[in-house]
Amino acid sequence: MSTATAKKPRLTTSAMIASIAGEGQRITAAPFGKALVALAEQRPEIVGLTADLSKYTDLHLFGQAFPERFFQMGMAEQLLMAAAGGMAKEGFMPFATTYAVFGTRRAFDFVHQVIAEENLNVKMCCALPGLTTGYGPSHQAAEDLALMRAIPGMTVVDPCDALDIEQAVPAIAEHKGPVYMRLLRGNVPLVLDEYDYKFELGKARMLRGGRDVLLISSGLMTMRSLEVATALEADQVDVAVLHVPTIKPLDTATILAEASRSGRLVVVAENHTKVGGLGEAVATALLTAGITPQFRQIALPDAFLDAGALPTLHDRYGISTEAMAKTLKTWLA
Amino acid sequence: MNTLSDAGLHARLAEHAYRIRRFACRMGEVQGQGYVGQALGYADVLAVAYCHAMSFRPDDPEWEGRDRFLLSHGHYAIAFYAALIEAGVIAEDELETYGSDDSRLPMSGMASYTPGMEISGGSLGQGLPIAVGMALGLRLKGNPAFVYNSMSDGELDEGSTWEAAMGAAHHGLGNLICLVDINNQQADGPSTKVMGFEPLADKWAAFGWFVQRVDGNDMAAVIAAFDAARALKEDKPRVILFDTLMGKGVPFLEAREKNHFIRVDPHEWQQAIDILDQSQGAAR
Ligand SMILES: Cc1ncc(C[n+]2csc(CCOP(=O)(O)OP(=O)(O)O)c2C)c(N)n1
Ligand SMILES: [Mg+2]
């Protein structure tokens, strides 16, 4: 019965458990889980809640270390967020984890009304942000930043790598109030340790200078931007990279200072729909300040994204390193 | 007492279930992964749905008179595609494309990709509320078709499931049949440990449903449950709670450490297929 056709290698749809690390890339395993455990040793008010996704958000490490402070809420994201709010009202600092689509889309009103409206001290840490799974729109959180940015008082963080996550965990705990943090889980790339970098909540950071292009990016797109900058050296294109791990509140001072240096093409690169994310936030800041450089967006289209292998999809939607480099060259030509 | 024709029916449906299991394993082999533990556990239910209970036209998946089957648990797509192949809705050779780029068979079920896929599931807990609306719509149109909502036990955790359960009973939706795969597995572990939902039959009954709880891998019991759900004269929604065994039919997968995403090594797909072939050969 089985066909005798020769097996050709094929790209497989990335499973939900997949890591975004490229082959041969330096990685750290479960940086979020480890950082949270370390912090929770010092801060007894930290509790962990999940909606049937502790293993898929690295929160299981916290659960193993502090079983009495870990609460499995079942696959019920509205309960997850509202109960996290309830625990915050009783003085605890809940870290609530699920996938980004469910934490934002499924639970939106609970996040908005229960958590944000009362400025409760809940840290929502959500995996599979933007386009980091090939499972199709049900699991692709292309609009999570737009949704969370739209909530008054919400702090929104999009870390780039393991180092960023490690340092962001204590920083968001230090901040009083609700935080939405995009989470990379499993084997997470380690990149920023080579850039004399430190995460500071609310601060953007220049990672490298450059005369021709200013790439403003967040999340894993900063990793891509650094790769693009290196790749374009061969073409004598000089690319600066400004990493903006805090999407809200936005570090407009740094962004305006960098963008007002004349002669550079300003490009915002984000793993997010072009609607309502970092690109639009930067554009608004620039126009409001009367700064009008040449401006472009590298972002996901305003469309329901395809299912398929992640590398295919990143190429298709222009956020792979190769696709980005090609796009930049066309803009510069 | 089994009549001769009952025995014939069981044997025919067991053959269909075997072929569904086999197709699922072949798709798993294509991708090197897949929710095959769920597919093997749920194959008997799908065989009875598609090869006994439901009305549909394989060559016209949008036929207005069809019974609607909603795959709420979109990650069961591998199981469902196998059933659609067995039902003649999808060609067998298409399984070679499972999960590949631009395939009509993506890893999570979506309505716009696959003929016979009524909804885009996968954001779990949405099937039953959609089914309520479709059942209301069919009744309003005077269309006698049934709506089957197929869901996983993890979906019992979602509030939307119980909102819909109450709504279906309130509206007396006798044309709605809910199928629940109780495999006692969720992403973080055994369902009963993740969020205790027992006593489940009592819960559904208290919500106003006609409830049956059966061994979902006992072909005779599955057939009888479908028949009873369809035959009931009361204007009540019906639920069948199927206790199933992940990996059913392939002993080394049945015995493997239970996991949401069961580990299968590359050489094991063919082994699984061989075992299915052998035991079905012996049963014939
Ligand atoms: C609303 C929603 N929350 C979370 C998830 C992530 N998720 C996918 S499958 C799964 C387990 C749910 O339990 P069940 O479907 O019974 O798992 P299985 O039997 O397939 O192991 C979870 C939490 C999801 N797909 N949808
Ligand atoms: Mg289950």
Side-chain angles (χ1 to χ4, degrees):
Chain A
M1 282 246 291
S2 59
T3 46
T5 50
K7 291 249 150 64
K8 24 182 179 14
R10 51 175 112 217
L11 286 175
T12 56
T13 301
S14 52
M16 291 194 281
I17 44 181
S19 152
I20 57 145
E23 214 168 312
Q25 203 170 20
R26 285 180 307 127
I27 51 115
T28 303
F32 168 71
K34 289 176 186 161
L36 188 61
V37 168
L39 185 67
E41 312 266 10
Q42 264 97 62
R43 303 192 68 152
E45 74 276 26
I46 290 180
V47 292
L49 288 79
T50 191
D52 193 19
L53 285 172
S54 71
K55 286 200 262 177
Y56 295 79
T57 57
D58 294 338
L59 191 70
H60 64 297
L61 297 179
F62 177 88
Q64 285 159 11
F66 303 100
E68 72 293 346
R69 286 154 67 183
F70 169 77
F71 301 94
Q72 173 61 264
M73 305 313 289
M75 187 177 66
E77 295 76 13
Q78 299 179 342
L79 170 64
L80 171 75
M81 293 305 179
M87 290 199 80
K89 285 171 85 70
E90 295 300 334
F92 293 95
M93 187 197 297
F95 276 72
T97 75
T98 176
Y99 287 156
V101 279
F102 310 122
T104 61
R105 303 201 303 236
R106 176 67 56 97
F108 189 75
D109 192 38
F110 294 73
V111 172
H112 187 282
Q113 279 310 108
V114 176
I115 295 173
E117 201 269 339
E118 291 197 40
N119 196 41
L120 296 178
N121 203 16
V122 176
K123 318 302 171 187
M124 296 165 278
C125 301
C126 296
L128 298 186
L131 176 55
T132 48
T133 164
Y135 269 51
S138 64
H139 286 69
Q140 292 159 343
E143 66 293 87
D144 61 334
L145 298 178
L147 288 169
M148 291 296 117
R149 263 187 80 220
I151 300 178
M154 183 66 71
T155 294
V156 180
V157 178
D158 186 13
C160 162
D161 73 341
L163 183 83
D164 232 0
I165 291 174
E166 229 167 73
Q167 300 186 351
V169 168
I172 64 174
E174 207 49 51
H175 170 78
K176 252 182 109 63
V179 176
Y180 174 76
M181 182 169 91
R182 281 180 152 193
L183 191 61
L184 304 171
R185 59 140 325 252
N187 289 334
V188 179
L190 179 61
V191 176
L192 294 178
D193 59 331
E194 292 183 342
Y195 290 87
D196 185 29
Y197 171 83
K198 189 174 178 316
F199 175 88
E200 278 179 89
L201 193 62
K203 287 277 180 284
R205 176 78 66 130
M206 280 306 284
L207 297 179
R208 58 174 278 166
R211 280 169 283 110
D212 304 316
V213 180
L214 171 64
L215 268 176
I216 301 175
S217 59
S218 71
L220 68 91
M221 292 308 283
T222 292
M223 186 171 90
R224 297 274 155 89
S225 296
L226 290 168
E227 287 165 6
V228 167
T230 309
L232 290 189
E233 283 168 4
D235 301 275
Q236 268 71 51
V237 179
D238 203 9
V239 179
V241 177
L242 176 62
H243 178 42
V244 187
T246 309
I247 307 292
K248 186 183 181 179
L250 195 63
D251 183 359
T252 37
T254 305
I255 291 170
L256 294 180
E258 287 299 331
S260 55
R261 283 179 47 185
S262 61
R264 291 197 294 198
L265 170 67
V266 172
V267 178
V268 178
E270 57 187 322
N271 170 30
H272 186 270
T273 159
K274 64 185 180 190
V275 178
L278 182 63
E280 287 192 357
V282 169
T284 306
L286 294 181
L287 266 185
T288 306
I291 297 166
T292 53
Q294 271 217 67
F295 179 87
R296 297 278 186 281
Q297 256 184 297
I298 291 176
L300 299 169
D302 178 21
F304 292 104
L305 307 180
D306 294 338
L310 210 47
T312 308
L313 300 180
H314 280 195
D315 269 338
R316 185 171 300 169
Y317 296 121
I319 64 168
S320 68
T321 306
E322 294 70 27
M324 273 177 81
K326 230 170 111 189
T327 310
L328 279 187
K329 282 200 236 173
T330 359
W331 286 338
L332 290 168
Chain B
M1 261 246 315
N2 274 0
T3 65
L4 209 61
S5 72
D6 280 343
L9 179 65
H10 299 172
R12 180 174 71 78
L13 289 171
E15 182 77 20
H16 287 300
Y18 147 72
R19 291 167 57 84
I20 289 171
R21 288 190 167 91
R22 201 177 192 285
F23 289 138
C25 288
R26 285 177 59 197
M27 279 183 270
E29 188 168 30
V30 164
Q31 268 287 311
Q33 59 174 342
Y35 292 98
V36 77
Q38 288 85 333
L40 292 168
Y42 205 45
D44 298 307
V45 173
L46 289 169
V48 176
Y50 270 87
C51 305
H52 172 67
M54 286 169 55
S55 300
F56 62 96
R57 293 178 179 163
D59 51 355
D60 183 10
E62 288 172 33
W63 171 50
E64 174 67 6
R66 75 191 181 283
D67 289 333
R68 276 69 167 162
F69 187 100
L70 278 51
L71 190 75
S72 183
H73 41 169
H75 64 290
Y76 276 51
I78 188 170
F80 188 62
Y81 301 148
L84 288 180
I85 291 169
E86 184 60 8
V89 179
I90 294 174
E92 180 179 337
D93 57 8
E94 211 167 327
L95 66 75
E96 293 288 339
T97 73
Y98 169 68
S100 300
D101 292 344
D102 304 316
S103 165
R104 297 202 301 175
L105 310 181
M107 287 194 68
S108 188
M110 280 182 277
S112 56
Y113 282 63
T114 316
M117 184 69 81
E118 298 275 356
I119 63 166
S120 294
S123 183
L124 298 171
Q126 296 185 337
L128 195 56
I130 300 170
V132 167
M134 291 175 73
L136 284 169
L138 287 170
R139 191 169 72 184
L140 195 58
K141 289 194 285 188
N143 184 327
F146 277 108
V147 180
Y148 292 84
N149 176 65
S150 178
M151 62 184 276
S152 64
D153 55 355
E155 296 188 84
L156 296 166
D157 296 357
E158 291 286 355
S160 55
T161 294
W162 299 102
E163 295 173 23
M166 209 182 302
H170 176 77
H171 290 287
L173 296 178
N175 55 349
L176 175 54
I177 300 177
C178 186
L179 315 171
V180 189
D181 181 18
I182 303 170
N183 63 358
N184 197 27
Q185 184 65 45
Q186 294 188 212
D188 269 345
S191 304
T192 40
K193 291 226 173 90
V194 170
M195 181 55 63
F197 49 58
E198 300 288 1
L200 203 50
D202 293 348
K203 278 200 179 69
W204 285 93
F207 271 73
W209 288 58
F210 171 66
V211 188
Q212 301 175 82
R213 185 165 189 164
V214 301
D215 177 347
N217 298 123
D218 174 345
M219 189 51 87
V222 175
I223 297 167
F226 269 90
D227 289 350
R230 287 191 303 156
L232 185 76
K233 289 286 173 265
E234 283 172 88
D235 282 337
K236 266 183 160 190
R238 304 105 212 264
V239 61
I240 313 175
L241 308 169
F242 294 107
D243 290 292
T244 64
L245 179 64
M246 285 183 98
K248 177 71 187 180
V250 179
F252 73 84
L253 291 179
E254 289 175 14
R256 187 145 294 172
E257 187 190 322
K258 289 287 177 278
N259 221 317
H260 171 61
F261 211 80
I262 229 166
R263 180 179 58 76
V264 182
D265 293 333
H267 67 281
E268 290 180 328
W269 297 103
Q270 191 56 50
Q271 280 178 14
I273 290 170
D274 291 344
I275 289 171
L276 291 170
D277 290 349
Q278 278 157 23
S279 48
Q280 187 58 20
R284 286 188 198 120

